[in-house]
């Protein structure tokens, strides 16, 4: 199978890191949704990444759907999220906050590089949403004594948060800074792991 998308996307990166943590072999096609849109469209008409193309040609789209498939593939004992119950809901909530953070951080990049004149109201809204999510995640992570969010074993929420933080810090350093020490520590812990060090790409935003 092969994964489409560049690793400077927090969504592509979290998918690739999960594949590596699960020990699942894959080929990487670092296609851009701007420069390689037609290549992406052959597998995903929305022209978005990540897209995971399975060996039989089936194309899975959106990181959450791809990770759901990978969890099924490796089985419940190895999956990086509980199968059901309160722990799963908590995990999904943290993941949703992280992906929401990443989405707003990406939107803010597009606003900056693709518009000749930025819409002040939209920029302020995105920055307020980012600040709100960071504050909630900081408070919750500071209250967790374990190495990872839900214990001693890394989960999808940990990966999603770390990938969102790296992107936000690179794209908007004035928004993610020393005000969030618990999140900085979490990111440092995750980024020290081999899959995070292997699967990484400096931010290269599209040009207008």
């Amino acid at each position: 199978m092969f994964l489409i998308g560049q690793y400077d996307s927090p969504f592509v990166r979290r998918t690739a890191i999960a594949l590596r943590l699960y020990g699942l072999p894959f080929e990487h096609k670092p296609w851009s949704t701007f420069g390689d849109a037609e290549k992406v469209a052959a597998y995903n008409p929305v022209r978005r990444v990540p897209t995971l193309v399975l060996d039989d040609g089936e194309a899975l789209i959106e990181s959450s759907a791809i990770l759901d498939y990978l969890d099924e593939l490796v089985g419940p004992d190895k999956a990086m999220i509980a199968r059901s119950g309160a722990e799963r809901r908590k995990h999904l909530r943290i993941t949703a906050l992280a992906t929401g953070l990443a989405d707003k951080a990406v939107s803010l990049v597009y606003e900056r590089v693709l518009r000749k004149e930025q819409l002040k109201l939209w920029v302020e809204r995105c920055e307020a949403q980012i600040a709100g999510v960071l504050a909630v995640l900081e408070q919750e992570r500071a209250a967790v004594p374990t190495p990872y969010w839900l214990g001693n074993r890394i989960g999808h929420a940990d990966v999603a948060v770390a990938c969102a933080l790296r992107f936000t810090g690179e794209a908007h350093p004035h928004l993610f800074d020393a005000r969030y020490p618990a999140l900085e520590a979490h990111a440092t812990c995750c980024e020290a792991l081999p899959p995070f060090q292997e699967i990484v790409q400096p931010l290269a935003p599209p040009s207008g």
Side-chain angles (χ1 to χ4, degrees):
M1 56 186 170
F2 59 88
L3 178 66
I4 298 172
Q6 297 190 354
Y7 290 156
D8 63 349
S9 160
F11 303 99
V12 176
R13 190 176 182 227
R14 72 181 289 239
T15 303
I17 288 172
L19 282 161
R20 190 67 78 232
L21 287 169
Y22 279 157
L24 297 171
F26 68 98
E27 180 184 351
H28 179 218
K29 296 189 182 296
W31 296 343
S32 164
T33 54
F34 286 84
D36 304 300
E38 294 308 314
K39 289 182 181 180
V40 178
Y43 300 96
N44 183 350
V46 187
R47 293 169 167 80
R48 293 181 64 181
V49 294
T51 297
L52 182 68
V53 182
L54 307 183
D55 292 340
D56 63 2
E58 180 183 1
L60 306 179
I61 63 175
E62 300 291 344
S63 58
S64 58
I66 295 170
L67 295 178
D68 186 66
Y69 166 77
L70 298 181
D71 293 341
E72 286 187 8
L73 193 62
V74 300
D77 291 338
K78 193 175 180 181
M80 293 191 293
I81 188 171
R83 178 185 288 183
S84 62
E87 183 178 348
R88 180 180 178 85
R89 292 193 300 275
K90 182 177 180 181
H91 211 126
L92 289 174
R93 176 179 175 274
I94 297 164
T95 300
L97 287 169
T99 55
L101 168 64
D103 182 65
K104 291 303 172 182
V106 170
S107 294
L108 203 52
V109 167
Y110 288 162
E111 180 70 21
R112 185 178 70 225
V113 302
L114 298 181
R115 279 185 184 269
K116 292 182 179 179
E117 295 184 9
Q118 295 181 31
L119 184 60
K120 184 172 182 290
L121 180 63
W122 177 249
V123 170
E124 290 176 348
R125 178 178 173 81
C126 285
E127 290 189 347
Q129 290 170 300
I130 289 170
V133 174
L134 287 172
V136 169
L137 290 175
E138 171 68 19
Q139 182 180 22
E140 295 195 15
R141 190 64 182 95
V144 176
T146 51
Y148 298 107
W149 217 289
L150 296 178
N152 296 315
R153 181 182 173 195
I154 194 169
H156 289 312
D158 299 292
V159 178
V161 170
C163 290
L165 292 176
R166 185 182 187 98
F167 182 90
T168 304
E170 288 189 353
H172 317 290
H174 64 293
L175 297 180
F176 177 53
D177 52 27
R179 289 172 292 175
Y180 308 102
L183 290 180
E184 283 193 337
H186 177 85
T188 299
C189 175
C190 290
E191 294 290 350
L193 299 174
F196 284 81
Q197 295 185 355
E198 174 192 354
I199 298 170
V200 65
Q201 175 185 333
L203 178 61
S207 58

